[in-house]
Amino acid sequence: MSSTTTEKAPQLTRVLRLPAIVLFGLTYMSPVAVFTTYGIVGAETGGHLPAAYVLALAVMLLTAHSYGRMVRSFPAAGSAYKYSQKVFGGHVGFLTGWTLMLDYLFLPMVSFLLAGIYLHAQFPGVPQGVWSVLALLLVLAFNVIGVKFVSKITAIIMGATAVLLALFVALAGAKSNVPAGELFDSFVPASDQWSLLAGGAAILALSFLGFDAVSTLAEEAHNPRRTVPLGIILTTAIGGGLFILVAWVGALVRPDNNFTDPDSAGAELMRTVGGSAMSTAFTVVYVMGCIGSAMVSQASVSRIIFSMGRDGLLPQRVFGRLNPRFGTPVGALIAVSTVALLSVLLTLDQAVVMINFGALAAFSMVNLSVIKHYLTGPKRSLTPRSLLINGLLPGLGFASTVWLWTSLTGETFVVGLVWMAVGVVLLAITTRFFTRRPPELHMGMEDEDVTPGVPGAPRETTANPVS
């Protein structure tokens, strides 16, 4: 938007510092989510779940590095959509954001489904769908109030999660009777099991979406060029470390990975280490984690939709405005909640199959964006250091992400490609069959030459304070 325009674009409010950003990302990742796929991926990888997490973490750290590099240049809401838009143009940016939205739109739904499943198991007199809808309404209300309020809730949820995981690790360590020479067997796959690990890691990569969620908060973070890249790396490393630790300790207790029902392996594992009391505590914290994950994933996708609406790629009157009282994108939040109502109609298997394609596709584009932006753009640098951090590392991130991407199931590809086709049609309509460039809003904080604290630097807005 030009400086001569009298009406300013709606702005989010900078209220988040590094600890809140990391808690936000970790809550999105939900460390107890390791138990959601514990039995399934454990069986798929031949009992090498910890090794699959190590592989997934290595790939995600490379991509997290690329996200951090892009945030330094474009500290704006919009995540992979904004980075691809600025580097490859509006058409590619729109399709990247549209593909990523497949994951973000369905992730809250999966969380509501899981919350409904576990609460219905505890209170069978109340239908599962009722629990899911109640969780949905609670999450919507929290997000309308604002991200600062959400950050307080995430701190409570992460505190309860930390206590549960610490207790689990302590009890599991005491119950382990694995010989010393076999303690790390779950980290050492056989030579013919690497393809199994890749398939498992492709599923587990979804657990790391927390760092992408952090990047969507760039317009609500203090000093985003420093705090957001650091928050992305810390979120990925801490979350991945917790996943690996829990998976390893679980393997020490149940090395056979022989569970009655792989879908409920987490509850069975908890009963193994602490009896019914531990299983009940797990259910409570797990449901809290589902609500927390839904809360932050809904907040993240609403920022992407808001960014696209503000740019005119989606109806601006609905999605490109902030609520005057709370300073939050209420239109986008309601849209995401409406999609999440599918949680009362779909099964967990049907929902999960929809959500891996978009994330890995978007991760690939972010890695490519770093290479193009820093090595071939107007600010290109071909020094040895630049070639390492802006060439080699993103290149490895791209290659490893594509490797995981090709390990997804055929059904996932069908859903993903259909979703992309819908996006192409929408883009064609928006641009009058590609005869016009997609509209783009130029925000001051996106200019690499603008330095906070000097004349002409963008100021942190205080309008629409978030309570």
Side-chain angles (χ1 to χ4, degrees), residues 165-384:
L165 292 182
L167 187 59
F168 168 75
V169 170
L171 292 175
K175 282 186 173 291
S176 172
N177 56 4
V178 174
E182 300 176 9
L183 286 177
F184 301 101
D185 282 3
S186 57
F187 287 99
V188 186
S191 58
D192 61 346
Q193 290 181 316
W194 280 98
S195 61
L196 299 178
L197 284 187
I203 297 173
L204 299 177
L206 186 64
S207 304
F208 290 86
L209 264 180
F211 72 75
D212 184 272
V214 168
S215 73
T216 67
L217 300 176
E219 290 184 58
E220 294 166 277
H222 288 282
N223 192 9
R225 285 192 174 90
R226 186 188 71 84
T227 57
V228 175
L230 184 56
I232 288 172
I233 295 297
L234 288 175
T235 294
T236 307
I238 295 172
L242 289 174
F243 290 150
I244 293 169
L245 174 63
V246 172
W248 175 54
V249 172
L252 297 180
V253 177
R254 297 288 295 269
D256 57 359
N257 203 61
N258 184 22
F259 296 99
T260 305
D261 180 6
D263 288 338
S264 59
E268 190 173 337
L269 186 61
M270 287 293 175
R271 282 194 296 272
T272 301
V273 302
S276 59
M278 189 68 177
S279 180
T280 300
F282 166 73
T283 299
V284 173
V285 175
Y286 188 88
V287 170
M288 290 175 63
C290 287
I291 291 175
S293 181
M295 187 166 55
V296 295
S297 61
Q298 186 186 77
S300 296
V301 70
S302 69
R303 269 62 181 173
I304 295 175
I305 293 174
F306 165 70
S307 183
M308 297 177 82
R310 184 174 54 183
D311 289 7
L313 290 169
L314 294 174
Q316 201 168 44
R317 293 186 62 183
V318 178
F319 301 115
R321 293 183 176 182
L322 300 176
N323 180 273
R325 178 178 178 185
F326 298 109
T328 52
V330 174
L333 288 167
I334 293 175
V336 177
S337 297
T338 301
V339 173
L341 284 173
L342 289 172
S343 61
V344 302
L345 301 175
L346 300 179
T347 66
L348 185 58
D349 289 342
Q350 290 171 331
V352 168
V353 77
M354 300 178 181
I355 54 176
N356 279 36
F357 181 92
L360 292 176
F363 292 169
S364 300
M365 286 306 303
V366 173
N367 283 306
L368 289 180
S369 295
V370 174
I371 296 172
K372 186 176 187 300
H373 179 63
Y374 285 101
L375 299 186
T376 67
K379 301 287 185 180
R380 65 180 177 273
S381 171
L382 299 179
T383 64

Side-chain angles (χ1 to χ4, degrees), residues 100-186:
L100 184 59
M101 272 205 295
L102 177 64
D103 299 72
Y104 274 120
L105 283 172
F106 286 104
L107 272 170
M109 181 181 65
V110 171
S111 296
F112 296 137
L113 261 170
L114 288 169
I117 290 170
Y118 276 86
L119 287 171
H120 176 64
Q122 289 292 114
F123 307 97
V126 181
Q128 174 186 320
V130 172
W131 287 119
S132 294
V133 171
L134 288 175
L136 183 153
L137 294 175
L138 181 66
V139 166
L140 175 61
F142 286 165
N143 272 317
V144 167
I145 293 174
V147 71
K148 188 174 182 180
F149 179 76
V150 167
S151 70
K152 296 177 181 178
I153 302 298
T154 60
I156 296 172
I157 293 173
M158 284 307 303
T161 300
V163 171
L164 176 75
L165 292 182
L167 187 59
F168 168 75
V169 170
L171 292 175
K175 282 186 173 291
S176 172
N177 56 4
V178 174
E182 300 176 9
L183 286 177
F184 301 101
D185 282 3
S186 57

